[in-house]
Amino acid sequence: MGFFAKISSGLKKTKEAIKRRLFEAFSMKELDDEFFDELEEALITADVGIDATETLLERLRDEIYENRITKPDDARELFKKILIESIDFEIEDFSYPLVILLSGVNGVGKTTAIGKLANMFKLQGKSVVVAAADTFRAAASEQLEVWGERAGVRVVHHGEGSDPAAVVFDAIASAKARGTDVVLIDTAGRLHNKKNLMEELKKICRVVARELPDADFRKYIVLDATTGQNAVSQAEVFSEDIDVDGIILTKLDGTAKGGVVIAIAEQLSLPVLYVGVGEKIDDLIPFDANDFIDVLLDEE
Amino acid sequence: MGIFQNLSERIANVFEKMKNKGRLTELEIKQAMREIRIALLEADVNYAVVKSFIQSVSEKALHEEILKSLTPAQQVVKIVNEELTDLMGTKNAKLAVASNPPTIIMMCGLQGAGKTTMCGKLAGMLKKQGKNVLLCACDIYRPAAITQLQVVGKKAGVEVFEKGQIAPVKIAKEAIKYANKNAFDTVIVDTAGRLHIDEQLMDELVELKKELKPHEILLVVDSMTGQDAVTVADTFNKTLDITGVVLTKLDGDTRGGAALSIRAVTSKPIKFSGIGEKLEDIEAFHPDRMASRILGMGDVLTLIEKAESAFNEEDAKNLQKKLKQNSFTLEDYLEQLENMKKMGNLSNVLNMIPGMSNKLKGVDTEVDEKKIKHTKAIIQSMTVKERRNPDIIKASQRKRIAKGSGTSIQEVNQLLKQFEMSKTMMSRMAKNKGKLPF
Ligand SMILES: Nc1nc2c(ncn2[C@@H]2O[C@H](COP(=O)(O)OP(=O)(O)OP(=O)(O)O)[C@@H](O)[C@H]2O)c(=O)[nH]1
Ligand SMILES: [Mg+2]
């Protein structure tokens, strides 16, 4: 509910929102080429990408045929169902001790999401420590420290240019010593085509696996909803390199729809766990496939 | 990457199917246009922009000459490429200079686009050009944004003006006063990232503009942006009348279709690109390179030139014959490798071939003298039979060959893998009469 309310309030502000296109498509009289063209346009404009769009429309065509549907209006519920199914995943509950690592390219919102997650766990009564493993970007650990203060959690950091794996090691040592429930790891933004930086990330993961072999270790990739088809490439490579468990989709308070996560779900079966809908500490919401598709289809 | 089939290949496929039917028809051009459309959409060019682009290219492509041409695929790709390069604009990295200094440059854009980093890069670049630059910190919202600008400024060796978290308009006003008093000739103003639909924060930029009267308002855009790039660029442009665009994170593997979308809706020049995280990683924007990048063609033109100078016609004919008879051996491979050396680094060359880069993942394609020497040694450690038919080389033979050549089994494996790849690539070239596969 909160998710939907926040996003739709953002949407209302835009004149350009993917509009009523889908609505228009569905209120047409016939299931002709024009109908499918309208659907195609709506999906592509939402960054679903041409490949996934074609797959989804193919699926819709099949079901329309199988169910002998002749009216666009009836196709609407069907299409919604197809879309929801494509991104609805069963997610295993967390167990503790829990380690969450956030990865992703530069500027997508990793550090902010760490702050929001810290706050979320804190509110659930868990103890939290954050590892400032972005030792590269200017003022990254200062930024994280502000978030640590806001959430009221400890932040472990070393100096700029130090070894990120060592920061993680220390944070875990501290968590072990104090019996902390949750370790959150903020990493430096890195483009997935930079091999040495991806190696660094693997090393961090090895440290976690070695130091806390029995912990629940989740690795998420943070994606910016404004990103286009390159997000598929990002998810693909991060998954290959560190076996990502899921996605945090940020900046959904803008006008971009983040439809690329549908392409990613189709191709890599990666679920979205949380969405970011603003810059405040409580602007992180568990992902809900129904709401997401409602917003994508611009329905209320 | 993997999922993108190359445009040139696709168009070639369309025409391939019609090959035996003689001349091309309008229908075939239409099908080629469909492939171009897919390529552009995959590259994140905005849906509406693609539509009008295809329309204008279709008109050009329907000319007689192309329909009659023996190499219609090339012709079509050429037209598309030219048209796209045209749309991308001319190289225009010049920044306005105030007749009455200081020159004021204001940066703006969405959250996480790379404004602060770009401020540092511009400052570093201008300083090298002999300017006396002042950076001004007006991002009072994001935690540690001011500190980040200070660190960046220090690296660039320029002073940073900041007043903590007071109203940005006040900071800007004082910064200009300070610049005047201290003879700074350039002021670069960093602003907070904001959503284009955040009216309050967009108003703040309007106020800043009023106060600063900047000579440049640069919109910083992430090159990985998707379909929404048009909305974002259009809103910023309408609100602020920007003077130019900076495209960041181009060192990634994005096709960067947003560049085209932004040009289309704002018609403002793209002035610079960010190509890395370091201070020096800034360059003038190259419209022509962007065009072929969006099309996913690699640097095909350069490759053609290089290939033509490395292989003479006779070589090509011989090679073609061998490939046809399936008698391309490791000995031929060695010879080709020597030829390749003339063309430069193999991975560069292979990456230029449409559809090739995704097949190269995990394969070491670096060619250097030492490697060729090793390759020679490995091949020479094989029996003639093995050289002619590498399929018979099993594990035990590999061990022997490695030992004999003073290399490792991995190296032998790698060579065999590379051989297979080259064979595939070359037979593709052969199929196209020694021409490249499109
Ligand atoms: N509107 C909006 N802005 C966000 C959201 N999440 C993050 N941001 C903003 O995006 C910008 C970048 O966020 P960061 O958290 O610094 O991103 P990062 O991935 O840690 O960046 P690097 O460490 O530099 O790679 C900041 O200005 C954030 O306030 C969101 O959900 N909505
Ligand atoms: Mg960060």
Side-chain angles (χ1 to χ4, degrees):
Chain A
M1 174 54 213
F3 169 75
F4 177 63
K6 275 201 167 135
I7 295 185
S8 64
S9 77
L11 275 177
K12 273 194 199 108
K13 282 185 250 163
T14 81
K15 294 177 202 101
E16 217 79 45
I18 316 307
K19 274 267 186 72
R20 299 276 146 203
R21 267 194 213 113
L22 277 161
F23 179 76
E24 278 160 22
F26 282 121
S27 37
M28 277 188 223
K29 293 211 177 59
E30 275 165 82
L31 290 171
D32 52 8
D33 279 356
E34 207 180 322
F35 168 79
F36 284 102
D37 282 353
E38 284 288 331
L39 283 188
E40 187 202 68
E41 178 171 356
L43 291 184
I44 287 175
T45 315
D47 285 317
V48 174
I50 183 95
D51 268 359
T53 295
E54 278 174 0
T55 313
L56 291 165
L57 289 181
E58 206 44 57
R59 224 170 277 163
L60 177 63
R61 279 202 178 88
D62 287 349
E63 300 221 7
I64 282 177
Y65 177 78
E66 274 168 29
N67 298 299
R68 297 173 205 287
I69 286 169
T70 52
K71 293 253 155 38
D73 233 7
D74 301 334
R76 166 200 291 261
E77 282 310 305
L78 197 56
F79 195 48
K80 216 165 128 180
K81 193 191 90 201
I82 291 172
L83 288 174
I84 290 170
E85 269 169 11
S86 76
I87 49 160
D88 205 9
F89 292 86
E90 202 67 49
I91 310 290
E92 214 179 305
D93 285 341
F94 293 135
S95 67
Y96 300 87
L98 169 68
V99 181
I100 296 180
L101 172 134
L102 297 193
S103 63
V105 302
N106 313 78
V108 288
K110 294 174 293 299
T111 306
T112 309
I114 289 276
K116 294 171 179 173
L117 281 174
N119 181 60
M120 183 189 88
F121 284 113
K122 196 76 195 302
L123 290 177
Q124 289 171 12
K126 304 289 178 200
S127 51
V128 179
V129 63
V130 175
D134 179 356
T135 58
F136 181 78
R137 208 208 65 199
S141 83
E142 284 88 342
Q143 183 188 357
L144 192 60
E145 236 155 274
V146 174
W147 280 110
E149 259 164 49
R150 286 180 186 171
V153 305
R154 322 203 288 290
V155 177
V156 173
H157 64 94
H158 295 180
E160 194 181 316
S162 59
D163 178 8
V167 180
V168 172
F169 182 91
D170 279 2
I172 290 179
S174 147
K176 278 190 201 164
R178 304 205 204 177
T180 308
D181 302 315
V182 183
V183 181
L184 301 174
I185 304 173
D186 184 28
T187 64
R190 67 201 74 222
L191 289 170
H192 47 294
N193 58 342
K194 311 233 157 139
K195 228 174 166 169
N196 53 336
L197 294 181
M198 295 307 284
E199 285 303 320
E200 180 192 276
L201 205 53
K202 285 190 207 168
K203 187 174 157 197
I204 293 174
C205 291
R206 283 198 299 271
V207 168
V208 176
R210 191 184 66 216
E211 296 304 314
L212 272 178
D214 299 323
D216 185 1
F217 183 21
R218 311 269 172 128
K219 288 158 277 187
Y220 299 147
I221 180 174
V222 181
L223 297 176
D224 181 332
T226 330
T227 308
Q229 298 311 297
N230 192 252
V232 179
S233 181
Q234 293 169 22
E236 199 178 4
V237 178
F238 275 91
S239 292
E240 225 165 81
D241 284 353
I242 61 164
D243 192 18
V244 170
D245 300 291
I247 298 167
I248 294 181
L249 185 64
T250 62
K251 309 185 194 174
L252 263 182
D253 46 330
T255 46
K257 301 283 192 156
V260 69
V261 297
I262 297 178
I264 293 172
E266 285 286 315
Q267 208 179 311
L268 302 167
S269 295
L270 267 190
V272 181
L273 286 315
Y274 299 97
V275 295
V277 292
E279 298 184 82
K280 290 193 301 300
I281 202 157
D282 54 357
D283 288 334
L284 186 79
I285 303 170
F287 179 74
D288 181 306
N290 272 291
D291 289 348
F292 182 76
I293 296 302
D294 271 343
V295 173
L296 193 92
L297 299 185
D298 211 10
E299 281 185 357
E300 280 176 45
Chain B
M1 289 185 89
I3 58 164
F4 302 124
Q5 202 196 351
N6 178 268
L7 173 66
S8 312
E9 255 175 36
R10 281 178 151 161
I11 295 179
N13 281 342
V14 171
F15 291 140
E16 184 98 350
K17 282 183 214 139
M18 333 276 171
K19 219 175 202 163
N20 304 322
K21 287 190 282 168
R23 285 174 35 191
L24 287 174
T25 63
E26 284 187 28
L27 177 72
E28 284 136 28
I29 295 282
K30 222 179 187 166
Q31 275 170 318
M33 290 304 139
R34 190 173 301 155
E35 299 298 336
I36 292 162
R37 176 176 178 271
I38 292 174
L40 293 175
L41 288 175
E42 277 177 346
D44 293 320
V45 180
N46 178 267
Y47 194 85
V49 175
V50 171
K51 213 169 186 173
S52 61
F53 180 78
I54 293 291
Q55 223 154 38
S56 91
V57 172
S58 298
E59 278 160 26
K60 293 224 159 96
L62 278 169
H63 279 305
E64 268 306 285
E65 306 93 75
I66 291 161
L67 295 176
K68 274 190 299 197
S69 161
L70 288 172
T71 53
Q74 276 107 314
Q75 294 295 327
V76 171
V77 171
K78 206 171 134 230
I79 293 178
V80 172
N81 201 27
E82 278 170 6
E83 198 75 357
L84 209 52
T85 309
D86 233 34
L87 266 178
M88 292 305 317
T90 45
K91 200 161 148 176
N92 183 3
K94 287 212 181 62
L95 287 169
V97 179
S99 51
N100 189 10
T103 302
I104 297 163
I105 303 171
M106 179 171 130
M107 312 290 277
C108 61
L110 296 181
Q111 292 97 336
K115 288 173 295 302
T116 308
T117 310
M118 190 46 75
C119 282
K121 289 176 182 177
L122 278 177
M125 186 190 81
L126 291 171
K127 192 186 171 208
K128 267 197 205 127
Q129 294 170 9
K131 300 273 195 265
N132 191 12
V133 185
L134 180 69
L135 280 168
C136 171
C138 283
D139 179 356
I140 58 165
Y141 306 101
R142 213 205 63 198
I146 298 173
T147 320
Q148 186 186 354
L149 192 68
Q150 280 170 328
V151 175
V152 162
K154 199 165 164 194
K155 279 185 190 148
V158 307
E159 194 176 328
V160 177
F161 185 90
E162 59 99 1
K163 282 273 157 216
Q165 293 171 318
I166 64 166
V169 179
K170 272 194 194 147
I171 303 173
K173 202 181 209 165
E174 292 193 32
I176 302 302
K177 255 193 233 154
Y178 184 83
N180 277 322
K181 209 190 285 164
N182 296 281
F184 285 98
D185 54 27
T186 311
V187 181
I188 301 175
V189 182
D190 186 22
T191 65
R194 66 203 71 214
L195 289 172
H196 51 295
I197 49 170
D198 188 327
E199 278 163 28
Q200 205 179 331
L201 285 182
M202 290 303 279
D203 280 349
E204 182 193 282
L205 285 181
V206 174
E207 289 302 310
L208 265 178
K209 179 182 172 181
K210 252 191 226 154
E211 184 63 47
L212 287 166
K213 300 190 183 58
H215 306 89
E216 288 277 4
I217 301 177
L218 299 177
L219 176 66
V220 182
V221 185
D222 186 325
S223 60
M224 295 177 275
T225 308
Q227 295 286 320
D228 208 36
V230 287
T231 325
V232 174
D234 193 40
T235 316
F236 271 94
N237 191 38
K238 285 206 172 113
T239 313
L240 296 167
D241 190 18
I242 61 170
T243 59
V245 175
V246 179
L247 219 50
T248 61
K249 308 177 200 173
L250 267 169
D251 47 327
D253 64 355
T254 181
R255 299 261 291 275
L260 185 64
S261 307
I262 294 167
R263 279 283 302 169
V265 297
T266 67
S267 59
K268 297 291 164 67
I270 300 176
K271 300 201 170 188
F272 299 98
S273 25
I275 49 165
E277 296 190 71
K278 290 196 298 297
L279 198 68
E280 342 42 280
D281 293 332
I282 175 173
E283 61 177 32
F285 180 71
H286 299 285
D288 47 339
R289 284 190 214 165
M290 200 64 220
S292 52
R293 178 173 182 153
I294 289 173
L295 290 173
M297 298 203 305
D299 199 348
V300 175
L301 300 179
T302 318
L303 175 63
I304 294 172
E305 277 164 24
K306 282 191 170 182
E308 273 172 1
S309 63
F311 297 97
N312 62 41
E313 214 168 304
E314 198 142 323
D315 283 348
K317 262 190 199 147
N318 275 334
L319 184 61
Q320 208 186 323
K321 214 165 93 193
K322 286 189 162 161
L323 285 166
K324 264 205 185 122
Q325 298 163 350
N326 211 7
S327 63
F328 183 69
T329 68
L330 276 160
E331 282 158 338
D332 300 319
Y333 174 69
L334 192 57
E335 195 182 310
Q336 292 309 318
L337 217 54
E338 303 267 8
N339 275 335
M340 284 285 190
K341 207 170 68 187
K342 286 187 229 155
M343 291 169 65
N345 184 308
L346 183 60
S347 69
N348 287 342
V349 173
L350 291 179
N351 270 318
M352 282 191 262
I353 296 177
M356 215 46 197
S357 57
N358 57 337
K359 301 195 178 86
L360 290 176
K361 261 184 123 189
V363 182
D364 187 7
T365 46
E366 203 85 354
V367 167
D368 54 22
E369 299 283 334
K370 216 166 94 198
K371 197 129 195 201
I372 291 192
K373 242 197 218 147
H374 279 188
T375 304
K376 232 178 194 159
I378 293 173
I379 294 177
Q380 278 161 357
S381 299
M382 295 175 184
T383 63
V384 176
K385 228 169 156 184
E386 285 165 347
R387 283 179 222 173
R388 303 248 156 102
N389 184 12
D391 287 343
I392 63 171
I393 304 177
K394 298 275 148 18
S396 63
Q397 282 97 328
R398 286 177 198 212
K399 218 174 190 172
R400 191 206 75 230
I401 293 166
K403 215 168 157 200
S405 56
T407 59
S408 64
I409 294 184
Q410 284 93 316
E411 276 176 281
V412 175
N413 287 341
Q414 209 169 56
L415 167 66
L416 291 171
K417 198 167 171 189
Q418 273 178 11
F419 170 69
E420 275 314 315
M421 259 182 36
S422 306
K423 210 166 144 178
T424 318
M425 176 189 98
M426 291 189 180
S427 63
R428 273 212 237 169
M429 287 169 76
K431 257 194 243 145
N432 290 273
K433 306 194 187 64
K435 285 235 165 59
L436 287 154
F438 64 87

